[in-house]
Amino acid sequence: MILVTGGTGLVGSHLLFKLVSNNATVRAIYRRAHKLESVKKVFSYYTNDVDALYNKIEWITANINDIPTLEFAFKDITHVYHCAAFISFEPNRYLDLRKINIEGTANIVNLCISNQIKKLCYVSSIAAIGHEPNPNTVITEETEWNPELDHSVYAITKYGAEMEVWRGTQEGIDAVIVNPGIILGPGFWKGGGSSSLFRQIHKGMSYYTKGISAYVDVLDVIESMTQLMASSITNERFIVIAENLSFQDFQKKAAQQLGVEPAKKEATSFLLSIAWRVDWFNHKLFGKRRKLSKQLVASITSNTIYGNSKLKNALDFEFKATDQSISDVSSFYLDDLDLSDG
């Protein structure tokens, strides 16, 4: 039996659809019942037999920081996909990020060891990959993490979570780690994840940045995960990205597909340096939620080029073109918008 953590998220819900479509025996954990509707919504994008497929999943209420419920969830499990994570770039949320991303992953790894599971797949992020001082140098799985750099709190905790997985491999667990870029997929328009970018662009954005990052379709992330789990490959990490693209170009392409005007003004590094300081001040003085941080500004203005040759060579993998991903997700968003209007 396969266990999926984070089954109500973007990656987890798409993974569940693929697994049950292939008649796998699956158990998934969730924390909040209302989130289960998000899974059904994702299923509806790809099939008319939503209930039939959804009902194949054995759902268990559990928290990755609650050992007793996790122990019950691990009964008779042979393979684990650990997709659960807390995504935030707010510096004041570091302890929450650490609790879920690092301590929660340590709990999953420990139970994998004690239950002698056959293989673990952990969904990390390119945020946990090292950086190159030269922006023209391609970042690969071998690029070293420099702890002296000013990393975001999210990156620090995803890197820490990877260290827990590597610890597990030293204690007898076979594992693979995937490091996706910005994941493009439908169904989570109002959350804080990548899907909400399409909603923000449709509503109208005033500014763009010229920083470069990497993008990948959610279906490619799922396909790479399942292929790696079915392969003889163990104890390796893989960058999972289709294309490196500037935030300006991404926004233009998405705006075109959504039928809206793209942002016209550049948010320069100088302007953003003022903005994150104002954001910090508003948080300290008025308790407002952080929207911008020094590290996030560095991320959206820097040129980072990631390589995907390791995965392509290992699995003979071909990625969906980013233009097609943007088109597909935009269509899903507009369809959902029409339904909500109706």
Side-chain angles (χ1 to χ4, degrees):
M1 179 179 278
I2 297 169
L3 176 66
V4 176
T5 74
T8 58
L10 176 64
V11 173
S13 58
H14 280 83
L15 173 62
L16 287 172
F17 177 76
K18 182 173 180 63
L19 292 174
V20 296
S21 295
N22 291 338
N23 296 314
T25 305
V26 183
R27 179 180 295 151
I29 64 175
Y30 71 98
R31 291 187 302 128
R32 302 187 183 107
H34 73 275
K35 292 286 188 179
L36 296 174
E37 292 303 314
S38 300
V39 181
K40 292 184 178 180
K41 181 62 180 178
V42 167
F43 280 28
S44 73
Y45 293 129
Y46 309 106
T47 182
N48 292 322
D49 297 324
V50 173
D51 289 336
L53 289 174
Y54 176 84
N55 290 334
K56 291 183 177 182
I57 304 167
E58 179 187 344
W59 289 99
I60 292 181
T61 307
N63 185 312
I64 60 173
N65 289 115
D66 183 352
I67 303 299
T69 58
L70 273 185
E71 287 177 336
F72 179 74
F74 263 82
K75 181 177 174 57
D76 300 323
I77 292 298
T78 59
H79 295 76
V80 176
Y81 288 92
H82 181 31
C83 309
F86 179 36
I87 302 174
S88 175
F89 295 90
E90 302 171 63
N92 55 297
R93 302 301 300 273
Y94 174 70
L95 293 180
D96 295 328
L97 284 157
R98 184 178 180 84
K99 182 72 175 176
I100 296 171
N101 294 345
I102 299 179
E103 295 178 24
T105 299
N107 293 333
I108 295 295
V109 168
N110 291 338
L111 284 166
C112 285
I113 295 169
S114 61
N115 287 274
Q116 299 180 321
I117 65 102
K118 295 179 179 179
K119 201 168 187 179
L120 164 68
C121 177
Y122 173 58
V123 182
S124 185
S125 166
I126 55 171
I129 301 286
H131 288 273
E132 290 285 353
N134 185 342
N136 296 317
T137 302
V138 176
I139 296 171
T140 72
E141 292 83 355
E142 303 304 316
T143 303
E144 291 187 9
W145 172 273
N146 184 352
E148 300 301 320
L149 295 180
D150 190 15
H151 299 284
S152 71
V153 287
Y154 175 68
I156 291 169
T157 58
K158 292 300 279 187
Y159 178 78
E162 285 194 18
M163 293 302 100
E164 293 296 337
V165 175
W166 295 132
R167 172 181 63 83
T169 64
Q170 295 299 309
E171 298 184 41
I173 296 299
D174 287 338
V176 288
I177 294 176
V178 293
N179 296 84
I182 297 172
I183 302 173
L184 305 179
F188 296 82
W189 314 120
K190 293 184 179 181
S194 53
S195 296
S196 64
L197 287 172
F198 290 85
R199 181 169 180 262
Q200 294 171 30
I201 293 170
H202 185 260
K203 290 177 67 176
M205 297 182 73
S206 301
Y207 293 91
Y208 63 83
T209 68
K210 290 186 175 180
I212 296 174
S213 192
Y215 296 81
V216 63
D217 192 282
V218 66
L219 298 180
D220 281 343
V221 177
I222 303 310
E223 185 63 28
S224 67
M225 291 166 61
T226 54
Q227 284 194 33
L228 286 168
M229 284 288 268
S231 74
S232 60
I233 298 169
T234 60
N235 307 342
E236 297 278 355
R237 74 199 300 217
F238 294 87
I239 292 174
V240 184
I241 64 104
E243 184 179 355
N244 296 283
L245 196 66
S246 74
F247 294 108
Q248 180 185 16
D249 287 342
F250 171 79
Q251 191 185 124
K252 281 183 177 179
K253 291 173 184 289
Q256 181 179 14
Q257 293 295 329
L258 293 168
V260 297
E261 288 294 318
K264 302 292 187 182
K265 296 176 285 188
E266 179 185 359
T268 63
S269 296
F270 175 72
L271 182 63
L272 288 168
S273 70
I274 296 173
W276 78 254
R277 287 174 170 86
V278 172
D279 184 80
W280 174 87
F281 182 80
N282 285 332
H283 170 72
K284 290 295 183 181
L285 193 62
F286 304 110
K288 291 186 177 181
R289 183 174 179 178
R290 293 295 301 272
K291 296 180 180 179
L292 204 59
S293 67
K294 178 182 178 182
Q295 296 80 14
L296 183 57
V297 166
S299 175
I300 62 178
T301 56
S302 62
N303 294 342
T304 48
I305 307 297
Y306 294 88
N308 60 10
S309 59
K310 182 177 180 180
L311 181 69
K312 293 179 74 172
N313 293 335
L315 300 177
D316 193 23
F317 198 90
E318 291 296 328
F319 288 93
K320 179 190 289 190
T322 305
D323 282 0
Q324 186 61 55
S325 298
I326 293 172
S327 175
D328 292 345
V329 179
S330 296
S331 293
F332 285 129
Y333 175 79
L334 293 175
D335 288 345
D336 282 352
L337 197 65
D338 288 341
L339 288 173
S340 64
D341 288 344

